[in-house]
Amino acid sequence: MKRGGRDHDDNSSEEGTTEKSKKLRTTNEHSPTCDWGNLLQDIVLQVFKYLPLLDRAHASQVCRSWNQVDSSKESAEAACDILSQLVNCSLKTLGLISTARPSFMDLPKSHFISALTVVFVNSKSLSSLKIDDTPVDDPSLKVLVANNSDTLKLLKMSSCPHVSPAGILCVADQCHGLRELALNYHLLSDELLLALSSEKHVRLEHLRIDVVSENPGQTHFHTIQKSSWDAFIRHSPKVNLVMYFFLYEEEFDPFFRYEIPATHLYFGRSVSKDVLGRVGMTCPRLVELVVCANGLRPLDEELIRIAERCKNLSAIGLGECEVSCSAFVEFVKMCGGRLSQLSIMEEVLIPDQKYSLEQIHWEVSKHLGRVWFPDMMPTW
């Protein structure tokens, strides 16, 4: 009887457990899924405040919302606090760039400059400095030069609105070992190119210029004299001159009016047929060309002109453009096997009487000496 009773009790217990499991599953099925990415940024920020800076940088790579949280003013302040403590530390490399991209521009300018000056004063052998998107200014650059002029080799400082052409000229005048430089076009001047071309200065290896306009018609772009470019290239004949253009169509007028020594050109916005035609006439050193968009007018003549005159061209990428299949084949035939990178969307190529889309990859592959296919637009 006892055994039978226990068996009965056990069965009841199992039935009760099964019923509870069903209810639990039903409840979970109708409960909203917990998603850490949906937490309010204020809550995530409070959690991030307890993390070390390195852990915070790792967390910022988890998702876009966490990256935006860690791009906050608090992260920039934490970075400045660290810089301010580097009194007894002589750095050789400093890069204020990370996946989290702290918002240094949101800080009080004096707070950032004070922290950066600590590094400049105490680091007597700084060779590499990346300070893009920061409120660095002319006086702080003078401190940099006064303490590190003999060792500085690389300086990247795009999007630094508080620096003037005179400020960057001070760096070029004193830092004769500078080999790589990246800055915005408004800091480029004839005086700067001539300073980089002086006998005291080493040969520059890499010069990157960002030509950026946010408001069409509101930015004035000056002209650099051809004689300044000529002096620069005579002094540094192997330099890579990389130019990124983010302009509106009407703002290209001052550019590509005479020969310039550009080796890499990237057009991030739509660029006209006229401008691309001028590129072929004025950039004989061109190695790489990337065109984000052009419009609905075929670039046949412009591509042929670039192939004729740009004998070093080895890489080209075309986005929202149009080129006839025949012109594209002729372009590849003229450039030959030196085209190591050929990134063309299939939508760019327009079939004609001579070539269809099915035929073109065979013809292009033949002239390249390797198998080539146009890039396909993702379908998702």
Side-chain angles (χ1 to χ4, degrees):
M1 292 295 292
K2 289 182 179 179
R3 183 175 179 180
R6 282 197 300 269
D7 289 342
H8 178 75
D9 291 340
D10 289 343
N11 291 336
S12 299
S13 176
E14 290 176 1
E15 291 176 0
T17 301
T18 302
E19 191 65 29
K20 289 179 181 178
S21 299
K22 289 181 179 179
K23 290 181 179 180
L24 184 59
R25 284 198 301 270
T26 303
T27 302
N28 288 338
E29 288 172 359
H30 293 283
S31 298
T33 303
C34 179
D35 186 352
W36 284 83
N38 292 332
L39 287 177
L40 295 176
Q41 287 199 352
D42 290 343
I43 297 176
V44 179
L45 180 57
Q46 293 301 318
V47 176
F48 275 26
K49 285 183 177 180
Y50 292 95
L51 294 177
L53 193 61
L54 182 59
D55 291 342
R56 188 181 297 185
H58 289 158
S60 71
Q61 300 178 57
V62 171
C63 63
R64 181 177 298 177
S65 62
W66 283 19
N67 182 276
Q68 292 173 346
V69 169
D70 198 45
S71 300
S72 64
K73 182 178 178 181
E74 286 78 5
S75 292
E77 289 175 343
C80 284
D81 290 342
I82 292 175
L83 294 177
S84 300
Q85 298 172 30
L86 300 178
V87 177
N88 298 316
C89 182
S90 183
L91 298 179
K92 291 187 177 181
T93 299
L94 174 63
L96 299 184
I97 303 172
S98 71
T99 55
R101 295 186 63 80
S103 303
F104 293 108
M105 295 301 294
D106 295 335
L107 295 178
K109 180 169 170 271
S110 58
H111 179 41
F112 175 81
I113 295 298
S114 176
L116 195 62
T117 301
V118 170
V119 177
F120 288 170
V121 170
N122 291 280
S123 297
K124 304 296 184 180
S125 57
L126 195 61
S127 64
S128 176
L129 179 62
K130 301 177 183 180
I131 46 175
D132 298 309
D133 302 299
T134 65
V136 63
D137 59 8
D138 290 359
S140 57
L141 287 182
K142 289 183 178 179
V143 176
L144 167 69
V145 169
N147 292 276
N148 300 272
S149 61
D150 294 334
T151 58
L152 190 65
K153 295 181 180 179
L154 181 150
L155 176 60
K156 294 186 176 181
M157 47 178 301
S158 297
S159 302
C160 296
H162 300 296
V163 175
S164 72
I168 193 63
L169 180 60
C170 173
V171 176
D173 275 335
Q174 301 298 320
C175 300
H176 297 145
L178 195 65
R179 295 182 181 276
E180 296 186 39
L181 180 62
L183 65 161
N184 280 77
Y185 185 81
H186 76 273
L187 295 179
L188 186 67
S189 64
D190 295 288
E191 292 79 11
L192 176 62
L193 289 177
L194 294 176
L196 294 171
S197 307
S198 69
E199 293 183 3
K200 296 180 180 179
H201 207 287
V202 300
R203 288 181 173 87
L204 205 68
E205 297 172 359
H206 191 93
L207 175 61
R208 168 175 168 161
I209 307 295
D210 291 349
V211 192
V212 182
S213 170
E214 300 296 341
N215 302 305
Q218 300 299 312
T219 306
H220 172 71
F221 292 98
H222 58 284
T223 300
I224 302 296
Q225 299 298 318
K226 183 179 183 300
S227 57
S228 301
W229 283 122
D230 290 343
F232 174 67
I233 206 64
R234 279 197 303 269
H235 182 265
S236 302
K238 296 183 179 180
V239 65
N240 286 319
L241 175 57
V242 183
M243 302 186 74
Y244 283 80
F245 285 88
F246 293 90
L247 301 183
Y248 295 93
E249 184 174 340
E250 62 273 17
E251 296 173 322
F252 275 101
D253 190 62
F255 302 99
F256 307 110
R257 290 298 179 184
Y258 53 80
E259 191 171 296
I260 62 171
T263 56
H264 298 71
L265 291 177
Y266 303 95
F267 295 96
R269 294 188 183 134
S270 181
V271 57
S272 69
K273 281 172 61 69
D274 176 61
V275 172
L276 290 176
R278 282 157 34 199
V279 166
M281 298 297 293
T282 59
C283 301
R285 298 179 74 244
L286 192 63
V287 173
E288 183 171 4
L289 173 65
V290 176
V291 180
C292 175
N294 165 258
L296 299 179
R297 298 174 62 192
L299 299 176
D300 295 6
E301 295 179 3
E302 289 72 22
L303 274 187
I304 299 300
R305 184 177 300 166
I306 289 172
E308 289 175 342
R309 296 181 59 88
C310 304
K311 302 298 184 181
N312 298 316
L313 188 70
S314 61
I316 186 168
L318 299 178
E320 297 179 15
C321 308
E322 285 193 356
V323 180
S324 73
C325 286
S326 294
F328 182 64
V329 170
E330 182 64 23
F331 167 80
V332 174
K333 186 187 301 184
M334 295 173 68
C335 293
R338 74 170 187 267
L339 282 175
S340 58
Q341 296 183 36
L342 188 60
S343 179
I344 311 295
M345 299 300 297
E346 186 179 58
E347 290 76 12
V348 169
L349 300 171
I350 307 302
D352 52 31
Q353 294 180 349
K354 196 169 183 180
Y355 297 104
S356 66
L357 289 177
E358 289 74 22
Q359 297 170 319
I360 193 169
H361 86 87
W362 295 108
E363 192 68 21
V364 171
S365 297
K366 179 177 70 176
H367 295 295
L368 286 179
R370 66 180 188 276
V371 176
W372 177 86
F373 287 93
D375 296 334
M376 303 293 292
M377 184 71 73
T379 56
W380 59 82

